[in-house]
Amino acid sequence: MKILTPLAVSASALGAVLMMSGAPQPARADLPPVGAVVQAVPPLQQGLPSLAPMLKTVMPAVVNIAVTSKAEIQNPLLQDPFFRRFFGAPEGQQQPQEREAQAIGSGVVVDAVKGYVLTNSHVVAEADSIRVRMSDDREYDAKLIGKDPDTDVAVLQIKADNLVALKMADSDQLQVGDFVVAIGSPFGLRQTVTSGIVSGLSRQTGISEGGYEDFIQTDASINPGNSGGALVNLRGELVGIPSNILSRSGGNIGIGFAIPTNLARDVMTQLVSNGEIQRGRLGINGQDLTPDLAKAFSLSTTRGAVITRVLPKSPADKAGLKSEDVILEANGRPIENFAQLRNRVGLMRIGDKVTLKILREGKPREVAVTIGKEEEIAADTANLHPQLKGATFAPLDDAARKNAGDTRGVLVQAVEPRSAAARAGLRQGDIVIAVNRRAVQDLEDFSKLANPQAPELLLHVRRGPGALFILIR
């Protein structure tokens, strides 16, 4: 007895066939002929939902990025004076060796005409060469237009024809619960697609210390290699750039973060125009509005940012902002805490105007402030000693003054890995209090003393509770 292919037979029909005896049975009009090969109906004709049609148009815009860099290798034995003398190594030199390192990430084409590709800053941070591989296996050398570590956004450019670019959606329209799809190259597996929902908005994780964070949280699976890829909505529009994950194991546990396109678009515009980001500022210090502070100020709300100090002659001072003002909104968007206010202002352009809704002595009012230049970096590193290259110097903030117990000196705000300043021994958080035995009062003093003409620099540095001297030649 012949049995029909199960794919083409319903459960009731199959039962009827199994119960048949050897005697011929009359043919049924609703069944195909015995032994016939029946083709499955295409999913779209069956009315089954599928992301495939959307992904066919989106995936050609998502690229694989291969980065080659050189990493220094320190021989720990040569750090010991005895071994340096034994092997004849010069004193004071640790003779670092270099090896070639490779890394992979993802990117997304956002301008098909000019060949602009968005990715993460950390993907290309140490790149000596960058190679972009398209979904059709075409490969191109990429030019780094600019990168901004504070937002983890970088812009590349490739020269190629027939590119496909994704439309950048208004990420402010996203809502928790919206369906999203992540596309990238996790662990080098190109063109990998995962789906999920928007789990949260405006997340500040503290992962990038001192950075500007306004993340989209999603449970769409994001793993190493997804960085810089695409987070798209169901219309195939770019809503975010996957950046990092929260995980104890290094693998996905359903908590991933993506940079919203509105933030990425603003950063990209500045990088393309200027090659760098010019941070805006209000000129205030502040803190979160806690329930205890709200009670002390006789306020009904517990969300907002409290101004604790207005810097003299700053944009905030000129606009009339005062200490104890509580900022509730910036350009109509709610402010939950001081970090969110810092993000909003820091991502605005110098000269832009922001309308702040504030509470002063419990009464609401609006104040318009023109965004000014960020004055954290007043020392021009181009006019400093070349061995200080890679370090960012800033005036002492309140926390640094408190820790140092002094008001003089300059703060080492950041030190780029593998830079001359890093090799010299400077660290983030150091406070330079003297150069060549001359006291440093402020950035102006430091700029004069640490000039390129100085044959060497003897830096007196405070580091935590202690102090040390660093000789730079």
Side-chain angles (χ1 to χ4, degrees):
M1 179 181 66
K2 295 182 179 179
I3 300 179
L4 301 181
T5 306
L7 180 63
V9 183
S10 66
S12 59
L14 179 58
V17 172
L18 292 175
M19 289 187 295
M20 285 191 301
S21 64
Q25 300 292 324
R28 288 177 51 182
D30 61 334
L31 293 177
V34 175
V37 178
V38 181
Q39 298 294 328
V41 180
L44 291 180
Q45 294 183 23
Q46 292 180 352
L48 297 178
S50 175
L51 297 174
M54 178 271 286
L55 291 171
K56 286 180 181 178
T57 64
V58 168
M59 291 178 72
V62 182
V63 302
N64 175 257
I65 295 177
V67 173
T68 302
S69 60
K70 293 179 181 178
E72 290 186 355
I73 304 174
Q74 296 279 358
N75 188 332
L77 293 178
L78 292 181
Q79 296 180 16
D80 187 300
F82 171 79
F83 279 96
R84 285 204 303 270
R85 289 194 299 270
F86 184 81
F87 289 105
E91 290 293 329
Q93 296 185 19
Q94 298 185 15
Q95 297 182 329
Q97 298 178 336
E98 289 188 341
R99 64 176 177 84
E100 188 175 272
Q102 294 183 335
I104 57 172
S106 305
V108 55
V109 180
V110 293
D111 189 323
V113 177
K114 297 181 179 179
Y116 290 138
V117 177
L118 274 178
T119 187
N120 287 147
S121 175
H122 75 259
V123 171
V124 297
E126 305 297 332
D128 291 317
S129 64
I130 305 171
R131 192 79 172 165
V132 171
R133 186 177 182 183
M134 316 302 294
S135 62
D136 58 5
D137 291 334
R138 291 181 294 165
E139 292 191 21
Y140 302 96
D141 289 324
K143 175 184 177 182
L144 177 62
I145 299 298
K147 63 181 186 293
D148 179 37
D150 287 342
T151 56
D152 200 21
V153 173
V155 181
L156 310 177
Q157 187 175 32
I158 58 175
K159 293 182 179 180
D161 298 324
N162 303 318
L163 292 178
V164 175
L166 288 191
K167 177 183 177 182
M168 299 178 72
D170 180 3
S171 55
D172 286 346
Q173 300 303 312
L174 278 178
Q175 300 181 63
V176 174
D178 285 350
F179 286 101
V180 287
V181 176
I183 311 171
S185 304
F187 301 106
L189 300 172
R190 298 170 54 218
Q191 300 288 293
T192 295
V193 178
T194 56
S195 66
I197 63 170
V198 174
S199 306
L201 296 169
S202 297
R203 297 298 200 202
Q204 283 90 43
T205 66
I207 293 175
S208 53
E209 184 177 353
Y212 292 82
E213 299 180 345
D214 191 26
F215 289 125
I216 301 166
Q217 181 184 334
T218 179
D219 66 347
S221 183
I222 296 174
N223 284 288
N226 270 109
S227 294
L231 188 73
V232 302
N233 59 25
L234 296 190
R235 287 189 292 270
E237 300 167 332
L238 186 68
V239 296
I241 306 294
S243 176
N244 48 57
I245 60 176
L246 191 62
S247 171
R248 294 180 179 178
S249 65
N252 177 268
I253 59 171
I255 304 178
F257 300 98
I259 302 164
T261 48
N262 287 0
L263 188 159
R265 183 189 290 110
D266 291 343
V267 173
M268 175 181 170
T269 300
Q270 288 203 51
L271 290 177
V272 170
S273 300
N274 309 318
E276 61 180 4
I277 301 297
Q278 297 178 341
R279 299 285 178 215
R281 73 178 188 102
L282 291 177
I284 62 173
N285 298 133
Q287 65 186 86
D288 299 347
L289 179 63
T290 64
D292 289 341
L293 285 176
K295 184 178 180 180
F297 294 152
S298 301
L299 302 176
S300 58
T301 182
T302 58
R303 294 184 178 181
V306 183
I307 298 177
T308 58
R309 180 190 177 201
V310 178
L311 302 181
K313 299 181 181 180
S314 66
D317 187 27
K318 295 175 182 177
L321 287 173
K322 297 181 179 180
S323 179
E324 296 188 11
D325 285 347
V326 179
I327 300 176
L328 303 178
E329 294 181 3
N331 286 340
R333 298 175 64 188
I335 297 297
E336 302 287 334
N337 49 53
F338 190 77
Q340 192 174 63
L341 175 66
R342 176 180 175 272
N343 286 346
R344 298 272 170 82
V345 173
L347 296 172
M348 296 180 70
R349 297 187 182 187
I350 296 169
D352 286 351
K353 290 188 177 181
V354 56
T355 300
L356 301 177
K357 182 179 178 181
I358 68 170
L359 286 177
R360 179 175 295 169
E361 297 179 352
K363 297 179 181 179
R365 63 173 63 192
E366 288 189 351
V367 178
V369 186
T370 300
I371 302 298
K373 293 182 179 179
E374 183 181 51
E375 292 185 349
E376 291 180 344
I377 307 173
D380 183 3
T381 54
N383 294 322
L384 294 178
H385 196 283
Q387 293 303 313
L388 296 176
K389 185 177 181 181
T392 300
F393 300 94
L396 294 182
D397 55 21
D398 292 339
R401 289 190 183 95
K402 183 178 180 180
N403 292 335
D406 202 343
T407 59
R408 65 190 180 110
V410 296
L411 176 67
V412 180
Q413 189 180 50
V415 179
E416 294 182 6
R418 299 172 53 206
S419 66
R423 290 193 293 270
L426 282 176
R427 297 182 186 175
Q428 181 179 347
D430 285 349
I431 298 175
V432 181
I433 58 175
V435 176
N436 291 337
R437 299 180 181 176
R438 297 180 63 181
V440 172
Q441 300 294 333
D442 50 28
L443 278 170
E444 185 177 356
D445 277 353
F446 183 69
S447 297
K448 292 177 181 177
L449 295 172
N451 64 78
Q453 285 71 42
E456 64 181 26
L457 301 177
L458 179 63
L459 304 182
H460 192 184
V461 174
R462 285 187 178 171
R463 179 174 295 168
L468 70 156
F469 289 98
I470 296 177
L471 182 60
I472 295 178
R473 295 173 176 171

